[in-house]
């Protein structure tokens, strides 16, 4: 049963985790590779759970958790070799175009993050921008360039 305070202040940690974990994980995996991204996501949400009273009052707690995850992933990356190479398995690659994974790897970091957040997860441009700490127009620009490059790499013509 929720207390009145929970209804007034915002969602419970469980609700926040349910809505924010997947986008944060996908963004971190797109930037740092599968293993480092997943580990950084887990540690960032553990931090968020421990500090939920402070985070729930923030206007963009998911963006904050993403930035915590970036710091953690950066620290982890210094201790291990890069995880995002040509042989790294990606979740459920059997249901995607075989050329998609190498084509995604060819994109710049921001292009890859923008494409994954908007098209794979379904975030709006504003949500993705808030998550990455950039403007919505920058997301649009990265998407346009990234999608054009993906079409070229995969060999799909514009309709």
């Amino acid at each position: 049963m929720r207390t009145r305070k929970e209804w007034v202040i915002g969602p419970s940690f469980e609700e926040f985790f349910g809505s924010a974990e997947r986008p944060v994980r996908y963004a971190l995996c797109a930037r740092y590779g599968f293993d480092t991204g997943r580990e950084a996501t887990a540690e960032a949400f553990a931090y968020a759970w421990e500090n939920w009273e402070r985070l729930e009052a923030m206007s963009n707690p998911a963006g904050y958790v993403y930035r915590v995850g970036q710091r953690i992933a950066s620290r982890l990356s210094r201790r291990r070799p890069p995880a995002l190479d040509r042989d790294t398995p990606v979740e459920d690659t059997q249901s995607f175009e075989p050329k998609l994974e190498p084509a995604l790897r060819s994109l710049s970091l921001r292009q890859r993050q923008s494409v994954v957040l908007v098209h794979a997860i379904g975030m709006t441009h504003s949500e993705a921008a808030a998550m990455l700490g950039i403007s919505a127009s920058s997301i649009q620009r990265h998407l346009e360039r990234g999608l054009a490059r993906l079409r070229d790499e995969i060999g799909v013509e514009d309709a």
Side-chain angles (χ1 to χ4, degrees), residues 64-118:
Y64 182 83
V65 171
Y66 171 73
R67 286 184 286 285
V68 168
Q70 282 184 303
R71 286 191 300 275
I72 293 167
S74 179
R75 179 177 37 90
L76 292 171
S77 295
R78 286 192 295 269
R79 289 191 287 176
R80 65 169 73 132
L84 190 60
D85 58 20
R86 299 281 181 217
D87 299 324
T88 302
V90 176
E91 289 179 76
D92 196 20
T93 55
Q94 302 304 324
S95 63
F96 294 104
E97 162 65 42
K99 296 178 187 175
L100 181 60
E101 184 180 352
L104 280 169
R105 291 178 196 282
S106 74
L107 300 180
S108 73
L109 173 63
R110 286 292 192 211
Q111 290 172 354
R112 186 171 55 245
Q113 288 175 319
S114 298
V115 168
V116 168
L117 291 175
V118 173

Side-chain angles (χ1 to χ4, degrees), residues 140-153:
Q140 179 64 35
R141 200 168 45 253
H142 292 305
L143 273 173
E144 289 170 359
R145 292 176 185 163
L147 291 174
R149 189 160 179 192
L150 284 175
R151 285 185 198 100
D152 289 345
E153 292 282 327

Side-chain angles (χ1 to χ4, degrees), residues 47-48 50-59 61 64 68:
Y47 173 85
E50 291 171 356
N51 295 282
W52 182 241
E53 285 185 17
R54 187 169 53 88
L55 269 68
E56 72 178 329
M58 293 181 176
S59 61
Y64 182 83
V68 168

